């Protein structure tokens, strides 16, 4: 691996938000899944704050039909601000304003549902010729430092693209990109192969790619040359496989707790776990949960 320390800084993040959220229907029929709450904050804000805290300067949303609310959330809302001002609700005013000034945002429309690889390719002109991060907002990961920051630290050390990895069970491999490679240091792998959603019977390993990536701009050339797979989608995984083959790709087993909020149970557990960490409601919620567990135990459930 390359240990040259002169790296281009990571300034841009691509966040695909065009997905339909079919696993969360019916709520996602008219509400973008990215705006569903983590307690009282839209999930997309949690992900954008992860970018801000990692030093990212610009977020590029890859949007689709009905996702205008995602852009609106990071824009100023003069009417609301004026009303809050007039009513003397200064704390709320400050909270609403601070979201608008969090970071520069750009929206690029993905006009056809051609998959994650195509969504990332839509960012090409805006990202230009620099390395960038990709965050899939279905994956909420709590850790200190954040996984995006952890990926940037790995990149600064080795100068190559990095994907975040997590071991999963046999049953779960068919939901993820799965990698094989050589483990050369604790938690670090040189990725050799990566396949999208293999059958559990023929999976090459149980190391899954989770929704945080740090990619060199060459990924765009690889994605552009790809044909849609049997599902009709252009897979980011296929672009990553070429990157691993023709250049290099680091797999990094991150530390942190991950919630898949594109899934109903994951959405609920994310809310419980974020609420438990909040001083304004954590202790009360814990008390409630203890009571529920005791009741369930008494009922023999
Ligand atoms: C996508 C990627 C997959 C990756 C997963 C992480 O799948 O295609 O390789 O493992 O995100 O969450 P999706 O969840 O969009 O089906």
């Amino acid at each position: 691996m390359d240990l040259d320390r002169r790296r281009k800084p990571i300034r841009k993040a691509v966040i695909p938000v065009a997905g339909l959220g079919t696993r969360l229907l019916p709520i996602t029929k008219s509400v973008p899944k990215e705006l569903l709450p983590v307690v009282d904050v839209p999930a997309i804000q949690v992900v954008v704050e992860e970018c801000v805290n990692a030093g990212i300067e610009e977020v590029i949303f890859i949007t689709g039909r009905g996702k205008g609310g995602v852009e609106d959330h990071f824009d100023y809302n003069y009417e609301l601000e004026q009303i809050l001002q007039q009513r003397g609700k200064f704390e709320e005013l400050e909270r609403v304003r601070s979201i608008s000034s969090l970071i520069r945002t750009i929206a690029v429309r993905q006009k056809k549902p051609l998959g994650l690889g195509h969504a990332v390719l839509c960012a090409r002109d805006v990202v230009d010729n620099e390395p960038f991060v990709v965050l899939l907002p279905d994956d909420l990961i709590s850790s200190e430092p954040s996984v995006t920051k952890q990926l940037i630290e790995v990149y600064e050390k080795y100068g190559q693209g990095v994907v975040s990895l997590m071991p999963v069970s046999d049953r779960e491999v068919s939901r993820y990109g799965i990698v094989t490679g050589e483990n050369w240091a604790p938690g670090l792998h040189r990725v050799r192969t990566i396949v999208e959603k293999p059958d559990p019977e023929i999976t090459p390993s149980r190391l899954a790619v989770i929704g945080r990536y740090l990619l060199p701009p060459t990924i765009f050339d690889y994605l552009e040359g790809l044909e849609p797979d049997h599902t009709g989608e252009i897979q980011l995984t296929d672009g990553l496989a070429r990157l691993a083959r023709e250049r290099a790709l680091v797999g990094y087993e991150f530390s942190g707790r991950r919630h898949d909020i594109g899934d109903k149970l994951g959405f609920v557990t994310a809310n419980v776990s974020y609420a438990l960490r909040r001083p304004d409601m954590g202790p009360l919620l814990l008390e409630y949960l203890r009571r529920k567990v005791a009741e369930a135990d008494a009922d023999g459930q």
Side-chain angles (χ1 to χ4, degrees), residues 119-281:
V120 171
L121 189 53
C122 288
R124 180 175 207 160
D125 289 345
V126 187
V127 169
D128 205 12
N129 193 27
E130 49 184 284
F132 61 103
V133 284
V134 176
L135 294 91
L136 306 187
D138 273 359
D139 286 328
L140 283 195
I141 311 166
S142 41
S143 64
E144 190 43 54
S146 69
V147 178
T148 298
K149 189 98 186 90
Q150 292 176 42
L151 293 189
I152 292 173
E153 278 162 14
V154 174
Y155 163 78
E156 278 169 354
K157 202 156 170 204
Y158 300 104
Q160 308 291 351
V162 196
V163 292
S164 60
L165 299 178
M166 182 181 95
V168 295
S169 68
D170 288 331
R171 203 164 34 86
E172 292 172 315
V173 289
S174 56
R175 292 185 3 211
Y176 298 98
I178 299 291
V179 306
T180 61
E182 292 105 48
N183 181 213
W184 93 87
L188 287 166
H189 304 255
R190 184 185 172 126
V191 175
R192 292 292 179 193
T193 66
I194 164 165
V195 286
E196 183 69 2
K197 303 187 173 127
D199 280 340
E201 296 82 51
I202 55 162
T203 188
S205 87
R206 291 199 293 108
L207 262 186
V209 177
I210 300 303
R212 298 291 183 275
Y213 309 78
L214 191 155
L215 301 173
T218 39
I219 192 71
F220 294 125
D221 296 329
Y222 297 144
L223 290 172
E224 203 161 55
L226 289 175
E227 293 293 325
D229 70 356
H230 66 282
T231 67
E233 296 192 342
I234 293 172
Q235 299 296 346
L236 179 57
T237 293
D238 294 337
L240 294 173
R242 276 196 66 189
L243 181 65
R245 231 175 16 244
E246 292 174 30
R247 298 282 189 95
L249 183 63
V250 177
Y252 168 69
E253 287 183 66
F254 64 90
S255 52
R257 155 99 21 129
R258 177 246 186 186
H259 299 274
D260 174 9
I261 58 161
D263 168 78
K264 287 177 191 177
L265 184 60
F267 173 73
V268 174
T269 56
N271 269 281
V272 171
S273 113
Y274 278 77
L276 282 172
R277 288 209 306 269
R278 293 227 333 209
D280 59 337
M281 67 181 75

